[in-house]
Amino acid sequence: MAAAASPARELTQNPLQKTWEPYDNGLPAGHSAQRGVCMTNCPTLIVMVGLPARGKTYISKKLTRYLNWIGVPTKEFNVGQYRRDLVKKYKSFEFFLPDNEEGLKIRKQCALAALNDVRQYLSEENGHVAVFDATNTTRERRETIYKFGEENGYKTFFVESVCVDPEVIAANIVQVKLGSPDYVDCSNDEATEDFMKRIECYKNSYETLDENLDKDLSYIKIMDVGRSYLVNRVMDHIQSRIVYYLMNIHVTPRSIYLCRHGESELNLKGRIGGDPGLSVRGKEFAKSLAQFINEQNIKDLKVWTSQMKRTIQTAEALGVPYEQWKVLNEIDAGVCEEMTYEEIQENYPLEFALRDQDKYRYRYPKGESYEDLVQRLEPVIMELERQENVLVICHQAVMRCLLAYFLDKPAEQLPYLKCPLHTVLKLTPVAYGCKVESIFLNVEAVNTHRDKPENVDISRPPEEALRTVPAHQ
Amino acid sequence: MAAAASPARELTQNPLQKTWEPYDNGLPAGHSAQRGVCMTNCPTLIVMVGLPARGKTYISKKLTRYLNWIGVPTKEFNVGQYRRDLVKKYKSFEFFLPDNEEGLKIRKQCALAALNDVRQYLSEENGHVAVFDATNTTRERRETIYKFGEENGYKTFFVESVCVDPEVIAANIVQVKLGSPDYVDCSNDEATEDFMKRIECYKNSYETLDENLDKDLSYIKIMDVGRSYLVNRVMDHIQSRIVYYLMNIHVTPRSIYLCRHGESELNLKGRIGGDPGLSVRGKEFAKSLAQFINEQNIKDLKVWTSQMKRTIQTAEALGVPYEQWKVLNEIDAGVCEEMTYEEIQENYPLEFALRDQDKYRYRYPKGESYEDLVQRLEPVIMELERQENVLVICHQAVMRCLLAYFLDKPAEQLPYLKCPLHTVLKLTPVAYGCKVESIFLNVEAVNTHRDKPEVLMLMPLSMAVVPC
């Protein structure tokens, strides 16, 4: 490894993210990578494998959502969707019979169309990970895909879901197949009967990933909805993270409750951050929360707070054990801690404008950005996936990050998600996503939500910067 | 779940850790747990499984070191060590013959003695995890241990290492068996020959963990030094973390280089923290570092820095790509940022004293503690385990934390580890531990190490309680 003989380059600090970057003759130079949550060198192609109704699409969508949230551009490609776009009307399982020449031709065409879009996403659109969601149940089909990956310089990682439990399969059919566009004109019984025959079409030619025959491939085989896993040849960091994630998710029904601390003394004054206690109304909210939780009659509820006084005070009112997480602390506003927005505008007008220009990536001087928050919250998300019923009492920015994960909101929207005080969001996984119920606990509080103003220019007059600041004392 | 009807308890802030804790009539109350890196509800018994020379002790020691570093009290119990303590002199492999009644009796006795110590550690000494390191190659032996776990309320997790590659086994023997106390009076050839026969003693009765017969057990089976893994019934958070760790470690030879940024402008003034640039000597160090790295001729070296100017400036001099990690930033000294120790003593004498009382757990007001640092550095350690040759250019407190992980230093010693400026530590895994080479790059710098003072400004913490 040769060391460059040239003099050390100048460093300048990016005004938005506060990161130090090298400049060469006034131009940004290479060699300095910011480590996001993880770096991917070459694109990764994840290939799902398994009979119908084994959770492939569930896993694809969930994994895609997780990777995007931690900052790895990921997209899923569902071959069944390509088929629905091509063959307007689904008739019956006979389309999938192994000797249906017409069907086979169309299905191969769809797979190739999807792979072409994968190539475009990974090689032309800066995608890092593509999830190829299809049955891919024959070794021959997987070979074709693997070759495609090799030709394009992608690392291929297979994710197989194997399940023989008839109850699980029946439940899957109810959850996600009965409502499929394929069965929009059928009764539930008709749909179930047809789908079971569809599964049969694949069984004879199904070649599961084999410890010997496929020993040179990189893959994880998930058995019985996560009871056991076979993991082979994990090649790099992103594959290791994917395996860890897949081994921590489960499908047991449960709900996640998200809320903020009760209104704080600083909230009342329109000041951000700090470590204040609850206001009178905030204490009332805590009592209302206790009543609400009691009425919900939740089995084995875990309660988590941050290490800031206001969330702990809120949890105290519940009278049950709770766990304090430092990583759930509110975003650190650095030099702007405990200021009002008016004071920030007055003392740091440039900072205030930069924040409005890119609220997700903006880092407070000596503080944090939403992007930083996501990185520090990742262990919370991982543990939330492991757990069942959990109540998380946290803070505005933190709650926005967690909510964006569950509701698959992109980075641009995340910092503007509405998370008002004294309102509990109940999230319940359903089908491929999350049902949200918003419950306002009927104790008034200030509004702390500041919308993005129209004028985000650094030269804007103060009134335009402050137009969207909510009312306070 | 019944909600208590009693009024909310008062919260007071622990003056050392700055954490808010509930008080009931002036006494600390329950119900509020601080989440360390992970919480274990009931103790965990990890049981190693595998023929000799399959890496069981290597894994045991490494896993124990990792768990202790992240704050989970863990201890390993090596049954071979119990045997060496009981049978003073090892004669030959014949001790391990399956029909050697005397040998079997002693070995069983040792296993039971070890299990008894496990019970004492987990049930009486607040241990969270015990690693039971023995071959445990028969289903019968594993059943005995599992029952022991159940009786005592422990969760049992098996870790099996399976390997048939003769090269790997031969390398293991060279690395850790030839130097064993058992073979202190033998030549290498004699030792190897005896050990190979020792392995044979176990083979006939070896019952590997089976997908069907052992389907109700929680375990990970590691095959071919990590090429593949079979994971069954992970029950809780700590088991999930253990599996993740085991799946990220490797045995490929490599070195890890740790150093601090070059001397900074604030270092010169005796000020802590901040985001200063390098001093003149700091810049010289950066050049020396570039030369040193060049001379080391390291294959595929990765270079990591923090996101603070002084580490990045140092890396810039190397002229190679580097990755910036925010989690490698120096400990946040909160309100004490950019102060000298004299100024801290003058403005925050209580804080200064508390820090000396428990430097590991002490959290600066609006800042961090070493304990916090360890939690935020865990992903760095995980990635260091995955990587091969890496140079980490970081900061004093950060480097102390990383060093403590590699050298298995406990929390009390960690904040006082010596990590001087302009000195590279080269860590190379060897046998069960880590070889350290310290290389001073011959550019003078100030000393930033502050020892624990002999006379502490002692006061009971109760006197320092800050009312809320």
Side-chain angles (χ1 to χ4, degrees):
Chain A
M1 183 188 79
S6 46
R9 302 173 294 189
E10 283 301 304
L11 290 179
T12 55
Q13 193 174 39
N14 173 309
L16 181 82
Q17 295 175 290
K18 311 303 187 288
T19 44
W20 291 98
E21 295 154 3
Y23 268 69
D24 225 340
N25 293 330
L27 295 162
H31 283 197
S32 174
Q34 307 299 329
R35 186 178 188 92
V37 183
C38 59
M39 304 297 286
T40 39
N41 290 336
C42 63
T44 302
L45 173 59
I46 296 176
V47 181
M48 302 303 301
V49 180
L51 292 173
R54 264 54 179 184
K56 296 186 301 299
T57 301
Y58 175 83
I59 291 168
S60 295
K61 286 182 180 291
K62 209 168 158 72
L63 186 57
T64 299
R65 176 163 58 90
Y66 168 71
L67 290 173
N68 278 311
W69 186 76
I70 62 171
V72 180
T74 304
K75 196 170 169 188
E76 36 134 9
F77 299 82
N78 179 283
V79 175
Q81 194 49 50
Y82 282 73
R83 187 260 305 159
R84 275 185 279 274
D85 292 342
L86 191 63
V87 181
K88 299 301 172 197
K89 181 99 185 76
Y90 174 77
K91 293 201 184 74
S92 82
F93 74 95
E94 289 175 357
F95 178 82
F96 293 96
L97 283 167
D99 55 3
N100 179 345
E101 295 283 348
E102 181 68 17
L104 285 168
K105 196 174 126 199
I106 291 171
R107 289 156 71 195
K108 178 122 199 198
Q109 193 181 335
C110 291
L112 291 176
L115 281 181
N116 194 45
D117 286 352
V118 162
R119 197 196 42 74
Q120 184 165 321
Y121 178 67
L122 295 181
S123 301
E124 294 168 33
E125 291 173 16
N126 289 319
H128 284 207
V129 178
V131 185
F132 188 69
D133 178 19
T135 48
N136 299 316
T137 38
T138 62
R139 193 156 281 111
E140 185 207 352
R141 171 56 56 89
R142 297 195 291 265
E143 268 256 13
T144 306
I145 299 167
Y146 186 85
K147 281 207 182 80
F148 162 85
E150 270 199 315
E151 283 161 13
N152 287 283
Y154 310 150
K155 284 188 189 166
T156 303
F157 187 76
F158 295 91
V159 177
E160 181 175 17
S161 173
V162 174
C163 179
V164 295
D165 185 341
E167 281 185 34
V168 172
I169 294 156
N172 286 356
I173 293 176
V174 168
Q175 274 264 317
V176 298
K177 300 298 179 186
L178 298 184
S180 156
D182 290 346
Y183 296 115
V184 72
D185 294 325
C186 300
S187 74
N188 284 355
D189 285 344
E190 286 168 340
T192 305
E193 192 186 328
D194 183 272
F195 199 83
M196 294 304 288
K197 291 182 184 154
R198 206 153 113 179
I199 297 176
E200 284 307 308
C201 294
Y202 287 87
K203 278 191 176 171
N204 281 348
S205 60
Y206 182 16
E207 296 168 293
T208 187
L209 286 169
D210 181 81
E211 269 187 82
N212 292 313
L213 296 172
D214 299 303
K215 64 174 167 48
D216 289 331
L217 299 180
S218 297
Y219 66 84
I220 178 171
K221 190 192 264 206
I222 304 169
M223 293 167 281
D224 296 324
V225 205
R227 180 146 307 156
S228 60
Y229 307 88
L230 181 62
V231 179
N232 198 62
R233 290 191 188 263
V234 168
M235 298 304 291
D236 60 14
H237 178 91
I238 189 72
Q239 290 182 15
S240 166
R241 294 289 288 274
I242 288 165
V243 164
Y244 184 44
Y245 181 73
L246 292 177
M247 289 177 57
N248 280 314
I249 61 180
H250 67 78
V251 293
T252 310
R254 50 81 172 253
S255 288
I256 293 167
Y257 298 79
L258 301 181
C259 72
R260 292 164 66 188
H261 52 83
E263 184 189 67
S264 77
E265 295 289 354
L266 287 188
N267 286 144
L268 278 177
K269 299 178 182 156
R271 297 185 172 281
I272 65 173
D275 193 16
L278 298 179
S279 67
V280 169
R281 299 194 296 194
K283 290 175 184 168
E284 261 189 70
F285 163 73
K287 290 194 200 125
S288 295
L289 182 64
Q291 192 179 343
F292 169 76
I293 291 298
N294 212 24
E295 285 162 4
Q296 287 275 306
N297 218 10
I298 307 154
K299 171 174 166 264
D300 294 332
L301 180 73
K302 297 268 170 78
V303 179
W304 297 350
T305 70
S306 69
Q307 282 189 355
M308 294 180 144
K309 189 176 181 187
R310 52 201 187 277
T311 57
I312 298 167
Q313 267 185 297
T314 307
E316 273 289 310
L318 305 180
V320 297
Y322 55 90
E323 232 182 278
Q324 297 183 19
W325 293 63
K326 184 174 191 274
V327 293
L328 282 173
N329 281 4
E330 182 56 313
I331 192 171
D332 184 355
V335 301
C336 298
E337 277 284 316
E338 301 197 45
M339 287 188 172
T340 60
Y341 289 121
E342 291 84 355
E343 285 166 0
I344 299 174
Q345 168 59 36
E346 183 168 335
N347 292 290
Y348 301 99
L350 173 62
E351 296 294 329
F352 204 43
L354 286 174
R355 185 158 208 252
D356 284 335
Q357 288 182 19
D358 190 345
K359 197 175 176 189
Y360 184 73
R361 275 166 212 83
Y362 171 82
R363 185 184 283 168
Y364 281 103
K366 303 194 181 176
E368 295 177 300
S369 62
Y370 272 93
E371 194 172 25
D372 295 330
L373 256 196
V374 162
Q375 189 173 358
R376 84 161 145 87
L377 286 170
E378 199 265 349
V380 175
I381 287 298
M382 197 63 85
E383 190 59 16
L384 277 173
E385 286 294 346
R386 288 198 54 79
Q387 292 289 342
E388 293 185 17
N389 292 317
V390 185
L391 164 66
V392 184
I393 305 171
C394 53
H395 305 267
Q396 183 166 246
V398 169
M399 188 164 159
R400 285 169 169 156
C401 292
L402 300 178
L403 194 58
Y405 167 76
F406 288 108
L407 302 186
D408 203 16
K409 299 294 185 187
E412 303 73 52
Q413 293 178 29
L414 184 159
Y416 297 101
L417 293 176
K418 283 203 162 70
C419 294
L421 287 165
H422 298 187
T423 306
V424 179
L425 293 185
K426 177 179 176 179
L427 305 164
T428 311
V430 69
Y432 294 135
C434 230
K435 180 175 87 166
V436 198
E437 293 166 69
S438 173
I439 307 113
F440 172 60
L441 289 191
N442 222 10
V443 177
E444 289 305 311
V446 297
N447 171 26
T448 58
H449 186 92
R450 182 175 165 269
D451 275 310
K452 182 171 178 169
E454 274 194 42
N455 189 348
V456 299
D457 223 60
I458 59 178
S459 61
R460 64 193 176 171
E463 324 75 77
E464 290 184 34
L466 297 171
R467 194 155 287 159
T468 57
V469 172
H472 58 85
Q473 282 173 4
Chain B
M1 185 189 78
S6 47
R9 303 174 292 191
E10 284 301 304
L11 291 178
T12 54
Q13 192 174 38
N14 173 309
L16 181 82
Q17 295 175 288
K18 312 302 187 289
T19 44
W20 291 98
E21 294 154 5
Y23 268 69
D24 226 339
N25 293 328
L27 294 163
H31 280 198
S32 174
Q34 307 298 329
R35 185 175 189 95
V37 183
C38 59
M39 305 296 286
T40 39
N41 290 336
C42 63
T44 302
L45 172 59
I46 297 176
V47 181
M48 302 304 300
V49 179
L51 293 173
R54 264 56 178 178
K56 295 185 304 296
T57 302
Y58 175 84
I59 291 168
S60 296
K61 287 183 179 289
K62 210 170 158 71
L63 186 57
T64 299
R65 177 162 57 89
Y66 168 71
L67 291 173
N68 278 311
W69 186 76
I70 62 171
V72 179
T74 304
K75 196 169 168 187
E76 36 134 11
F77 298 83
N78 179 282
V79 174
Q81 195 49 51
Y82 282 73
R83 187 260 307 157
R84 275 185 280 274
D85 292 342
L86 192 63
V87 182
K88 299 301 172 196
K89 181 99 185 76
Y90 174 77
K91 292 202 184 75
S92 82
F93 75 95
E94 289 175 0
F95 178 82
F96 293 96
L97 282 167
D99 55 4
N100 179 345
E101 294 283 348
E102 181 70 16
L104 287 168
K105 195 175 124 196
I106 290 171
R107 290 155 71 195
K108 179 123 201 199
Q109 192 181 335
C110 291
L112 293 175
L115 282 181
N116 194 45
D117 287 352
V118 162
R119 196 196 42 73
Q120 184 166 323
Y121 178 67
L122 295 181
S123 302
E124 294 168 31
E125 293 174 13
N126 289 319
H128 284 206
V129 178
V131 184
F132 188 69
D133 179 19
T135 48
N136 299 313
T137 39
T138 62
R139 194 157 279 112
E140 184 206 351
R141 171 55 57 90
R142 297 194 290 267
E143 269 256 13
T144 306
I145 298 166
Y146 186 84
K147 281 205 182 79
F148 162 85
E150 271 197 315
E151 283 161 13
N152 287 283
Y154 309 150
K155 283 187 188 166
T156 303
F157 187 78
F158 294 92
V159 177
E160 181 175 15
S161 173
V162 174
C163 181
V164 294
D165 184 340
E167 280 185 35
V168 172
I169 294 156
N172 287 356
I173 293 176
V174 168
Q175 275 262 318
V176 298
K177 302 297 179 188
L178 299 184
S180 157
D182 290 346
Y183 297 114
V184 71
D185 294 323
C186 300
S187 74
N188 284 355
D189 285 344
E190 286 167 342
T192 304
E193 192 186 329
D194 183 273
F195 199 83
M196 295 304 286
K197 291 182 185 156
R198 204 153 115 181
I199 297 176
E200 286 307 308
C201 294
Y202 287 86
K203 279 190 174 169
N204 282 347
S205 59
Y206 183 17
E207 297 169 291
T208 186
L209 286 170
D210 182 80
E211 269 188 84
N212 292 313
L213 296 171
D214 299 304
K215 64 174 166 50
D216 290 331
L217 298 181
S218 297
Y219 66 84
I220 178 170
K221 189 192 263 205
I222 304 168
M223 294 167 279
D224 295 324
V225 204
R227 179 145 308 153
S228 59
Y229 307 87
L230 181 62
V231 179
N232 198 60
R233 289 191 189 265
V234 169
M235 298 303 291
D236 61 13
H237 179 91
I238 189 73
Q239 289 182 17
S240 165
R241 295 288 288 277
I242 288 165
V243 164
Y244 184 44
Y245 181 72
L246 292 177
M247 289 177 58
N248 280 315
I249 61 180
H250 67 76
V251 293
T252 310
R254 49 77 173 256
S255 288
I256 293 166
Y257 298 79
L258 301 181
C259 71
R260 292 165 66 188
H261 52 84
E263 182 189 68
S264 76
E265 294 290 356
L266 287 189
N267 287 144
L268 278 177
K269 300 178 183 158
R271 295 185 173 282
I272 65 172
D275 193 16
L278 297 180
S279 67
V280 168
R281 298 193 297 194
K283 290 175 184 169
E284 262 190 70
F285 163 74
K287 290 194 199 123
S288 294
L289 182 65
Q291 191 179 343
F292 169 76
I293 290 298
N294 211 24
E295 285 162 2
Q296 286 275 307
N297 218 9
I298 307 155
K299 171 173 167 267
D300 294 330
L301 180 72
K302 297 266 169 79
V303 179
W304 297 351
T305 70
S306 70
Q307 283 189 354
M308 294 180 142
K309 189 175 182 187
R310 51 201 188 277
T311 57
I312 299 167
Q313 268 185 297
T314 309
E316 273 289 309
L318 304 180
V320 297
Y322 55 91
E323 233 182 274
Q324 299 183 18
W325 294 63
K326 183 174 190 274
V327 293
L328 282 173
N329 281 4
E330 182 57 314
I331 193 171
D332 184 355
V335 301
C336 299
E337 278 283 318
E338 300 196 44
M339 288 190 171
T340 61
Y341 289 121
E342 292 82 2
E343 284 167 358
I344 301 175
Q345 169 62 48
E346 183 171 330
N347 292 291
Y348 300 98
L350 173 62
E351 295 296 329
F352 203 49
L354 285 171
R355 187 157 207 254
D356 285 336
Q357 283 186 30
D358 189 343
K359 196 174 176 190
Y360 184 74
R361 275 166 211 83
Y362 171 81
R363 185 183 284 169
Y364 281 104
K366 303 192 182 179
E368 295 176 301
S369 63
Y370 272 92
E371 193 171 27
D372 295 328
L373 255 196
V374 162
Q375 188 171 0
R376 85 162 144 87
L377 286 170
E378 200 265 350
V380 175
I381 287 298
M382 197 63 86
E383 190 58 19
L384 278 172
E385 286 295 345
R386 288 198 54 78
Q387 292 288 343
E388 293 184 18
N389 292 316
V390 185
L391 163 64
V392 185
I393 305 171
C394 54
H395 304 267
Q396 183 167 246
V398 168
M399 188 164 158
R400 285 171 170 154
C401 293
L402 299 178
L403 194 59
Y405 167 76
F406 289 108
L407 301 187
D408 203 16
K409 298 295 184 187
E412 302 74 50
Q413 294 178 28
L414 185 159
Y416 296 100
L417 293 175
K418 284 203 160 72
C419 295
L421 287 165
H422 299 187
T423 306
V424 179
L425 291 186
K426 178 178 176 180
L427 304 164
T428 311
V430 68
Y432 294 135
C434 230
K435 179 174 88 165
V436 198
E437 293 165 71
S438 174
I439 307 112
F440 172 60
L441 289 191
N442 222 11
V443 177
E444 288 306 312
V446 296
N447 172 23
T448 58
H449 185 92
R450 186 175 164 271
D451 275 310
K452 183 168 180 168
E454 277 194 32
V455 180
L456 295 178
M457 304 298 286
L458 287 170
M459 72 183 83
L461 279 183
S462 59
M463 283 179 61
V465 165
V466 175
C468 71

